[in-house]
Amino acid sequence: MRLVAAEIDLEALSFNLSRTKAFAPQSKIMAVLKANAYGHGLVKIAQHLAEADAFAVARIDEALALRAGGLTKPIVLLEGFFHEADLPILLANNFQTIIHDETQLTALETANLDAPIATWLKVDTGMHRLGIEPSQFESFYRRLKACANAKPNVNLMTHFACADDLANDKTTKQIDAFLHTINSQHEALCLANSAGIIGWPSSHGDWVRPGLMLYGVSPMVGQIGSDHGLKAVMRLTTKVIAIRKVAKGEGVGYGSRWQAKETTYLAVIAVGYGDGYPRHAKEGTPVMIAGKRFGIVGSVSMDMITVDIGDNTNNVKIGDAVEMWGPNLPVEEIAESAGTIPYELLCNVTPRVSYEYLG
Ligand SMILES: *Cc1c(COP(=O)(O)O)cnc(C)c1O
C-alpha cells in the first residue's frame, strides 16, 4: 500500500445503486459521473454500474473518456454542447444533449447532420442557472418537434435548487411549476438529483439523476449516508510516519498556529492538501487511527498533518493506518468541520493519491 490511498469499495457502489432503485422503483437511472465520478475514477465506476440505464456527465471530454473506456450505454451531456462543431461528435458517439437556450437550439436547427440526436429540453423552474423560462416552453418544444436534427421524442428536464432541505417548500413549487409548464406533453420526464430521490418522492419521474448518493454520501442537510441505508464507497487512508512528544506551550507546524496546552504526544500523518485534504479543516477535525478517533491540530501542510494523541502514545505506532474519511468516519462530518460540502472533498482528491479498487 502507498502512503495515501483512496480505497474504492465497488460492492458498496453496487449496493448504493440498488438502494437508489428502492427509493425510486418506477424510474430509470441516469448515473451522474461528472468530475471523474465525484473523484472515484470515471471508467472504473462506470464499469461497475452495469445496472444503470444511462450515464450523465458535464462535458464532452468526460463522455468521450467513457466511450474510450469501452462503455456503450447512452450518455447525457448535462450542459449540452458548446459549439455547432460538437454536434457530429455527439451523433457519432450516441451522446444525448440538453437544450437549455436559444443558441443551442439554433445551432441544432441549422446543423447539417446525417441523423437526429436525442435531446432533453431543460426548463428553469427556479434554480436560475441553466434552462429556458417556462414562458418559452411552448415555442422551444414546437421547434424541437419540427427539427430534423432532433429525435422526435423530446425528453424534459428540470433541476432543484433546495431539495437538500426538507423544510424548504421551494422544491414543491419547482415540481408544480414543471408539471404546469409541460402540461399535456408526455415525453420522458427527469427532475430528481440525489436529494430529490431521497427527500421528494413526488419528483421521481420516468428518470432520476443520482450522483452523490451512489457514492454512499447524503445530500440532505445534517444527515449522513448511513441514515439512508447507503454505504461509503471511498475510504481515504494514510499512515503514521512519526510520533513526537511536545512540551506544554510549544507551537506546532506552520505559523505555530497551535500551541500545546499540556505536554502531549503528536502523531504525524502523511497526507495533506496536496492530496486533497482540506487545508481549512479546523482544529479537532477527527481522524481514525487504530479504531480510535483523534483530532488534528495545527496547520494542514501540503504533505503532512499533526494529530494530538494525548498524554501517552495510546498504542499508536509508526506505520499505523489512518482513516481520513470513509465507512468509519463520514465525509459529511469532515466537510462540515472544514466549512465545505462532501461533494468538494470527494472531487478534490488529487492524482498523486493511489486508487485501489476493492470487490
Ligand atoms: C450534478 C448533477 C446531478 C447530480 O446531483 P447529486 O446531488 O450529486 O445527486 C443531477 N443533475 C444535474 C443537472 C447535475 O448537475
Side-chain angles (χ1 to χ4, degrees):
M1 196 184 101
R2 311 257 195 88
L3 269 185
V4 183
E7 296 170 11
I8 307 296
D9 181 346
L10 294 168
E11 275 172 23
L13 178 71
S14 311
F15 180 87
N16 296 335
L17 178 58
S18 56
R19 280 294 294 153
T20 305
K21 290 187 177 191
F23 274 106
Q26 313 298 334
S27 309
K28 289 189 182 171
I29 308 263
M30 189 187 293
V32 180
L33 302 178
K34 61 198 182 190
N36 195 29
Y38 292 48
H40 291 69
L42 177 66
V43 170
K44 281 277 193 188
I45 293 297
Q47 284 168 340
H48 281 82
L49 290 173
E51 304 296 314
D53 301 287
F55 299 134
V57 294
R59 310 217 172 131
I60 290 179
D61 285 353
E62 296 172 325
L64 287 172
L66 285 170
R67 289 286 179 259
L71 282 305
T72 57
K73 285 185 203 296
I75 302 175
V76 179
L77 300 172
L78 291 173
E79 297 170 3
F81 58 96
F82 302 97
H83 304 286
E84 197 176 319
D86 295 336
L87 286 168
I89 302 172
L90 269 55
L91 189 57
N93 291 283
N94 187 25
F95 297 162
Q96 306 183 1
T97 187
I98 300 286
I99 298 289
H100 65 75
D101 76 352
E102 176 66 39
T103 315
Q104 286 178 326
L105 180 53
T106 308
L108 188 64
E109 285 173 332
T110 55
N112 186 5
L113 298 178
D114 296 336
I117 290 175
T119 62
W120 291 83
L121 180 55
K122 181 158 185 176
V123 183
D124 177 13
T125 54
M127 176 74 167
H128 301 321
R129 201 175 54 180
L130 295 183
I132 59 165
E133 297 287 330
S135 62
Q136 298 176 292
F137 177 78
E138 280 304 326
S139 127
F140 269 73
Y141 183 79
R142 240 183 300 111
R143 283 169 64 188
L144 270 174
K145 278 284 184 197
C147 177
N149 289 328
K151 285 195 177 166
N153 198 20
V154 178
N155 305 296
L156 306 174
M157 185 181 283
T158 194
H159 192 47
F160 297 135
C162 305
D164 57 329
D165 180 2
L166 289 176
N168 191 328
D169 70 350
K170 175 147 186 169
T171 306
T172 308
K173 291 191 175 132
Q174 286 196 260
I175 296 169
D176 291 349
F178 186 64
L179 297 177
H180 177 75
T181 301
I182 65 173
N183 194 12
S184 54
Q185 279 77 19
H186 292 291
E187 278 84 348
L189 307 184
C190 183
L191 302 81
N193 54 2
S194 297
I197 294 165
I198 292 170
W200 306 87
S202 67
S203 74
H204 301 168
D206 305 286
W207 288 81
V208 290
R209 305 188 301 277
L212 194 67
M213 69 185 296
L214 294 176
Y215 310 102
V217 179
S218 176
M220 309 308 284
V221 172
Q223 295 197 278
I224 60 173
S226 58
D227 293 336
H228 318 299
L230 300 168
K231 295 182 181 173
V233 174
M234 184 191 291
R235 191 165 94 99
L236 185 70
T237 67
T238 185
K239 288 188 166 175
V240 175
I241 57 169
I243 294 172
R244 312 284 315 268
K245 188 176 187 178
V246 289
K248 178 176 175 172
E250 288 297 315
V252 172
Y254 287 119
S256 296
R257 254 181 44 195
W258 182 79
Q259 278 100 34
K261 288 180 199 71
E262 299 296 336
T263 295
T264 192
Y265 285 88
L266 297 180
V268 182
I269 62 175
V271 65
Y273 63 79
D275 304 290
Y277 193 85
R279 200 178 76 83
H280 296 289
K282 64 180 191 233
E283 182 188 327
T285 300
V287 304
M288 185 89 104
I289 310 176
K292 261 192 179 164
R293 280 175 173 239
F294 298 101
I296 70 169
V297 293
S299 299
V300 171
S301 315
M302 190 184 290
D303 315 303
M304 282 177 271
I305 298 174
T306 41
V307 179
D308 187 358
I309 56 174
D311 63 1
N312 64 83
T313 60
N314 268 302
N315 296 321
V316 173
K317 298 181 299 300
I318 291 176
D320 276 357
V322 186
E323 181 169 320
M324 305 307 291
W325 62 66
N328 305 303
L329 205 53
V331 68
E332 296 92 334
E333 182 180 345
I334 308 304
E336 168 79 30
S337 190
T340 184
I341 54 175
Y343 297 83
E344 188 183 30
L345 295 189
L346 297 173
C347 289
N348 277 358
V349 173
T350 64
R352 81 171 180 182
V353 172
S354 88
Y355 278 71
E356 294 168 11
Y357 291 88
L358 315 171

